[in-house]
Amino acid sequence: MMVSIAKERGLEKNRRLIKSLIGPTRVIYTDVDGTLVGPKGSLFRAADGSLTLAAAKAIMLASERGIDIVMVSGRSARQLFGDARILGFNNYIAEMGCEIVYGGGSEIVKNFEDLAGSDAGLYEAIAKSGSVELLFERYPGRLEYHTPWSEGRNCTHVFRGHVDIDQAMSLLEREGLKDLKLIDNGIIARRGTLDKSVKEIHAYHLMPRSASKQSGLARDMEIRKIPRKTTIAIGDAVSDVAMAEHVGVFFLVRNALMSKECLGLEGEIAKYKNVFVTEGEVGEGFAEVVELALEDR
């Protein structure tokens, strides 16, 4: 089924339709891990681990033509600050849409509602809610903090492991924690002290229900008065596809359809007529999108 979707929604097959959905591109919103960067978080690694300059060249060309590349990631603002400096990006959206950062950190816009009954910072409020302990008690050996990436955060608590998301959400609701949600941010490499019976490791974000990647993207477009038809978004996970609601065109990099977590993608793709699939994987797929955006400039 994924092969059929890749064919029917492929970039090359739908090039004419795609071009009709977008005008001169002003902003490209991109997920980071598994989209902009390849294995081990390297900009210079293709999906198979071989070396490639595709994404680096694409970034250079986009910069020359004045296209704003905005990272939309589960990474913290501190982590993205370093990435943005190296890559020459000015703006980024951190912690699954919770923070919108402008000018390399000179301005940060909050994109979430404070938890009910709390005047603490968001990260502290989540910690004080008892939600973290609740999840660790329910999933012993199957969930732990995703160190070191869980450190130095302002908004979301980040875990690694493998849990049933629907079950976890029901648990939070039963305990009166309806302001929170647990989001699956994709498969990651094994590390840490998880039980050996956990065969597939995912990254999870415990965060406010009011925040999301797509709401962060939409808020940025509203703040900067960016027309929808001048925007493109790129991602590799089910949670990324919802960005299609706000942009001219959304692309899944092809590796998204090849991963073990692709089962939920078919239904998500079917919700939107502006979702397409790149021919290449990770950074090479990202480069295809940039090349498409530059064709009429």
Side-chain angles (χ1 to χ4, degrees), residues 29-257:
Y29 295 97
T30 182
D31 174 54
V32 179
D33 296 288
T35 302
L36 179 63
V37 301
K40 298 183 179 180
S42 173
L43 185 71
F44 305 106
R45 294 287 178 184
D48 63 2
S50 62
L51 292 169
T52 175
L53 285 172
K57 288 180 178 179
I59 290 169
M60 181 182 70
L61 291 172
S63 179
E64 287 178 346
R65 304 293 182 86
I67 293 177
D68 182 16
I69 297 177
V70 176
M71 295 180 291
V72 186
S73 175
R75 297 186 184 193
S76 70
R78 175 191 288 182
Q79 292 163 339
L80 290 178
F81 171 76
D83 299 333
R85 285 192 66 195
I86 291 171
L87 298 175
F89 301 159
N90 289 317
N91 311 308
Y92 41 94
I93 300 173
E95 298 206 42
M96 300 296 285
C98 287
E99 294 184 327
I100 305 167
V101 182
Y102 297 112
S106 61
E107 179 184 0
I108 299 178
V109 176
K110 181 177 77 173
N111 183 50
F112 57 85
E113 295 178 8
D114 291 319
L115 300 191
S118 176
D119 57 1
L122 178 56
Y123 188 90
E124 291 76 15
I126 292 175
K128 291 179 179 179
S129 73
S131 55
V132 177
E133 290 82 359
L134 179 69
L135 290 170
F136 284 165
E137 289 173 6
R138 176 62 182 81
Y139 301 105
R142 300 186 63 83
L143 197 68
E144 65 183 9
Y145 271 114
H146 186 31
T147 55
W149 296 276
S150 57
E151 300 167 1
R153 306 183 73 86
N154 297 323
C155 305
T156 68
H157 287 245
V158 184
F159 312 118
R160 57 180 170 243
H162 198 178
V163 304
D164 184 310
I165 283 288
D166 292 335
Q167 184 185 77
M169 287 296 295
S170 294
L171 175 64
L172 292 172
E173 290 177 9
R174 286 200 306 271
E175 295 299 320
L177 298 165
K178 295 182 179 180
D179 291 340
L180 298 175
K181 62 183 176 182
L182 190 68
I183 294 294
D184 187 339
N185 200 27
I187 295 174
I188 59 174
R190 174 174 287 278
R191 62 173 61 239
T193 61
L194 294 167
D195 193 289
K196 298 301 181 184
S197 65
V198 182
K199 302 301 182 184
E200 186 177 280
I201 312 299
H202 291 239
Y204 299 98
H205 291 254
L206 182 62
M207 58 187 288
R209 280 183 179 265
S210 58
S212 64
K213 282 187 175 183
Q214 63 267 29
S215 70
L217 176 155
R219 182 81 182 279
D220 174 53
M221 291 173 63
E222 178 185 7
I223 290 170
R224 295 199 282 163
K225 297 180 171 57
I226 302 168
R228 176 173 182 163
K229 202 166 183 179
T230 67
T231 60
I232 294 173
I234 318 171
D236 75 320
V238 173
S239 60
D240 293 329
V241 179
M243 291 192 284
E245 180 180 347
H246 304 288
V247 297
V249 175
F250 176 87
F251 289 96
L252 275 168
V253 283
R254 186 164 291 258
N255 49 289
L257 304 184

